[in-house]
Amino acid sequence: MNAIMEVMDRAFPKTYGEGWNHHQCRSMLSLPSAKLLIAVRDETICGFVISRQAADEEELLMIAVAPEYQGQGIGYLLLDYLLKAARADHVASVFLEMRADNPAEKLYTKFGFHRIGLRKAYYTGPNMEQFDAVTYKATLTI
């Protein structure tokens, strides 16, 4: 758990309030529907994805890659594996929510995610700044 928290702390800027704390992460991973996929390079945890499945829907809750490993295709591989596993589990749709101006949008649209909703002022930064969240959906063909 500590290695996952280290990646999360470094991958998400504190400005946006997107990262989880240790308690939130442990609570989510204790749910029977939660899934954790870890990326390892040179015996170091360099990224992970957390999701949960309910019936034929999956929610991508968190994906993070340590800054020194970003731009090397690790996020792509994590998302690709998650979606292939979801198809194998007969998932029809995958949802995610992220900050509106997050550059990861390019990655998600490559995999067929499209915007389906907006939550105004969803994230609150340390100086009480407000940031919108966008909801995305990918429809999987089984």
Side-chain angles (χ1 to χ4, degrees):
M1 179 67 84
N2 289 340
I4 292 168
M5 292 306 302
E6 183 181 326
V7 170
M8 187 178 327
D9 288 344
R10 294 186 308 120
F12 292 101
K14 302 289 184 241
T15 307
Y16 303 109
E18 297 165 303
W20 294 350
N21 63 38
H22 196 271
H23 175 73
Q24 290 169 313
C25 195
R26 186 176 297 283
S27 293
M28 180 54 65
L29 291 174
S30 69
L31 297 175
S33 62
K35 301 174 186 177
L36 170 65
L37 176 63
I38 297 172
V40 177
R41 179 166 288 166
D42 300 325
E43 299 181 22
T44 300
I45 293 178
C46 58
F48 67 88
V49 63
I50 299 173
S51 67
R52 67 178 169 189
Q53 184 178 343
D56 68 343
E57 295 181 347
E58 184 127 4
E59 183 180 13
L60 190 164
L61 299 166
M62 177 78 59
I63 186 168
V65 176
E68 65 272 23
Y69 292 99
Q70 292 176 3
Q72 299 178 27
I74 294 168
Y76 182 95
L77 291 172
L78 285 166
L79 187 54
D80 186 52
Y81 188 91
L82 173 81
L83 295 175
K84 285 177 180 172
R87 283 185 187 95
D89 288 341
H90 306 288
V91 169
S93 302
V94 178
F95 297 87
L96 66 89
E97 191 167 79
M98 67 176 190
R99 179 175 30 88
D101 63 348
N102 189 326
E105 179 180 24
K106 291 177 188 175
L107 173 65
Y108 297 127
T109 57
K110 284 181 186 177
F111 281 93
F113 283 88
H114 60 278
R115 290 179 179 217
I116 61 167
L118 177 72
R119 291 184 184 194
K120 292 294 235 179
Y122 183 76
Y123 296 106
T124 302
N127 296 322
M128 303 310 290
E129 308 98 332
Q130 300 288 300
F131 304 96
D132 296 342
V134 179
T135 305
Y136 291 82
K137 176 183 178 181
T139 302
L140 305 183
T141 55
I142 301 173

